[in-house]
Amino acid sequence: MAEKKTNYDVIIIGAGPGGMTAALYASRANLSVLMLDRGIYGGNLNNTAEIENYTGFSSIKGPDLAEKMYQGATQFGANYAYGGVTAIEDGGEWKTVTTDMDEQFRARAVIIATGASQRHLGVPGEEEFSGRGVSYCAVCDGAFFKDKQLIVVGGGDSAVEEGMYLTQLAASVTLVVRKDHLRAQPLLQDRAKKDPKLKFLFSHSVTSIDGDDVKVNGVHLVNNETGDKSTMPIDGLFIYVGSVPMTKPFESLGILDDQGWVITDQKMATKVPGIYAIGDVRQTPLRQIATAVGDGAIAGQEVYHYLQK
Ligand SMILES: Cc1cc2nc3c(=O)[nH]c(=O)nc-3n(C[C@H](O)[C@H](O)[C@H](O)COP(=O)(O)OP(=O)(O)OC[C@H]3O[C@@H](n4cnc5c(N)ncnc54)[C@H](O)[C@@H]3O)c2cc1C
């Protein structure tokens, strides 16, 4: 837990794999470090059932990797505290970080590691039934759908991986894919096609979600090629249709691209001296655990050099 002091060498906003690695490197360089997160440490690892592409582990559950990373991140004295950051004020040598608990912390360098959240479909019924059959996290909510009929919306890696995880629990899972093909890696596609409980509905989009007073009971669909409309009775749906950057608190710093991702150089530095960004929140060609960890190592080292100057 955090010491109740307010001044640090480095504040890291977000304790996902990127933030935790930056904390490890910066604290090992003897800097005083505070990681602030508005949720539990681990970030999107907590939403991932099984990870097979992080070096050193043939397979590991997301929450288990989060636990191991947290042990590593805090072993050299980095502090972790709850706090949703609402603003960074750049005062030159010192930056002020404000949280939604009305706390203020100061640091000479700040690393933004706030990641990305799941994109919503934006269809009627989605917000109304969120938590009542609409979910963005199979590992969190899958167990509520034992022997039920589910759909997963999306055709990328996350949709296919989490769809296969859900077939271990549900009676059947239909992957509703906007295009006429999957975007997921070939290895995942091969595996998915061999899963007897996974069905595919290509070239279809969900247009609205129905339910009763308690929970979801069906979806309306459109065929994107013919325009034909149909309905499907279901008990729940899981949505994996891309991600959006978590950068609202940083808009006034002028460090975002037109989609809201943070622009950095190779050293993870933004154009504001002393403010860095790492991981999924960055404008980057690949958003994965390995890349977030690599970014975190670079930023953790770079803040040390920056503070020596
Ligand atoms: C369903 C799913 C499956 C995936 N499967 C894999 C996989 O198999 N292999 C793989 O390599 N990658 C996978 N990924 C991607 C991987 O999880 C991410 O690339 C990785 O977690 C990015 O790490 P990060 O530290 O940049 O951000 P995140 O993990 O997103 O962590 C960001 C943290 O910042 C916090 N935060 C956000 N805003 C604020 C704020 N204002 N104030 C304070 N804290 C804030 C959040 O609470 C969160 O804890 C998957 C992602 C999903 C969603």
Side-chain angles (χ1 to χ4, degrees):
M1 294 300 288
E3 303 161 20
K4 272 292 168 195
K5 65 175 199 171
T6 51
N7 288 2
Y8 292 86
D9 292 324
V10 192
I11 290 176
I12 300 168
I13 308 171
M20 289 195 283
T21 308
L24 165 58
Y25 273 69
S27 57
R28 193 162 177 264
N30 223 12
L31 301 178
S32 62
V33 176
L34 174 65
M35 275 186 287
L36 283 171
D37 201 297
R38 64 179 182 187
I40 186 174
Y41 55 82
N44 260 330
L45 296 180
N46 296 312
N47 299 331
T48 306
E50 206 72 42
I51 296 156
E52 295 187 331
N53 57 358
Y54 186 59
T55 319
F57 299 93
S58 56
S59 174
I60 185 164
K61 293 189 191 326
D64 292 346
L65 183 57
E67 206 54 55
K68 287 182 189 300
M69 284 190 177
Y70 181 74
Q71 298 307 328
T74 50
Q75 68 181 313
F76 298 109
N79 300 285
Y80 165 76
Y82 173 80
V85 170
T86 51
I88 304 172
E89 194 189 316
D90 176 32
E93 191 189 346
W94 286 91
K95 329 285 178 203
T96 304
V97 173
T98 306
T99 74
D100 51 9
M101 319 266 292
D102 275 343
E103 284 179 303
Q104 287 201 321
F105 300 94
R106 294 194 331 141
R108 288 152 67 212
V110 174
I111 300 175
I112 299 169
T114 46
S117 69
Q118 303 286 90
R119 187 181 292 284
H120 290 199
L121 290 174
V123 299
E126 183 176 16
E127 302 307 323
E128 185 186 345
F129 292 108
S130 183
R132 296 195 290 144
V134 174
S135 173
Y136 306 86
C137 178
V139 70
C140 320
D141 299 331
F144 296 118
F145 296 93
K146 207 161 180 302
D147 301 326
K148 302 286 185 192
Q149 306 289 336
L150 296 178
I151 64 170
V152 170
V153 187
D157 287 353
S158 294
V160 171
E161 278 176 341
E162 304 308 306
M164 285 191 286
Y165 169 75
L166 288 168
T167 61
Q168 298 169 40
L169 303 160
S172 87
V173 178
T174 303
L175 216 63
V176 177
V177 186
R178 189 165 50 99
K179 298 199 173 148
D180 63 359
H181 59 274
L182 296 173
R183 272 186 303 112
Q185 300 165 26
L187 180 136
L188 291 176
Q189 293 196 30
D190 288 349
R191 227 185 259 172
K193 284 170 192 161
K194 286 181 194 147
D195 187 330
K197 281 163 83 183
L198 196 62
K199 300 177 204 153
F200 300 90
L201 185 62
F202 289 107
S203 304
H204 277 73
S205 297
V206 171
T207 53
S208 65
I209 300 162
D210 280 345
D212 53 28
D213 289 348
V214 183
K215 59 174 189 56
V216 165
N217 58 21
V219 283
H220 292 253
L221 298 155
V222 63
N223 183 320
N224 297 322
E225 286 169 7
T226 63
D228 289 348
K229 294 180 176 153
S230 55
T231 56
M232 189 191 285
I234 54 158
D235 300 301
L237 73 164
F238 287 78
I239 299 169
Y240 295 101
V241 291
S243 54
V244 284
M246 303 299 288
T247 46
K248 191 115 192 72
F250 320 121
E251 280 172 356
S252 62
L253 293 169
I255 57 173
L256 310 183
D257 70 11
D258 55 6
Q259 310 273 312
W261 304 103
V262 184
I263 301 168
T264 69
D265 63 15
Q266 281 186 324
K267 294 180 174 176
M268 308 301 143
T270 69
K271 69 179 187 188
V272 180
I275 299 185
Y276 296 76
I278 57 173
D280 280 14
V281 78
R282 215 164 66 78
Q283 188 190 67
T284 174
L286 184 64
R287 295 193 170 89
Q288 290 279 279
I289 300 159
T291 49
V293 163
D295 288 0
I298 293 171
Q301 181 72 5
E302 282 306 317
V303 289
Y304 172 76
H305 293 308
Y306 170 79
L307 294 174
Q308 294 304 302
K309 283 181 196 159

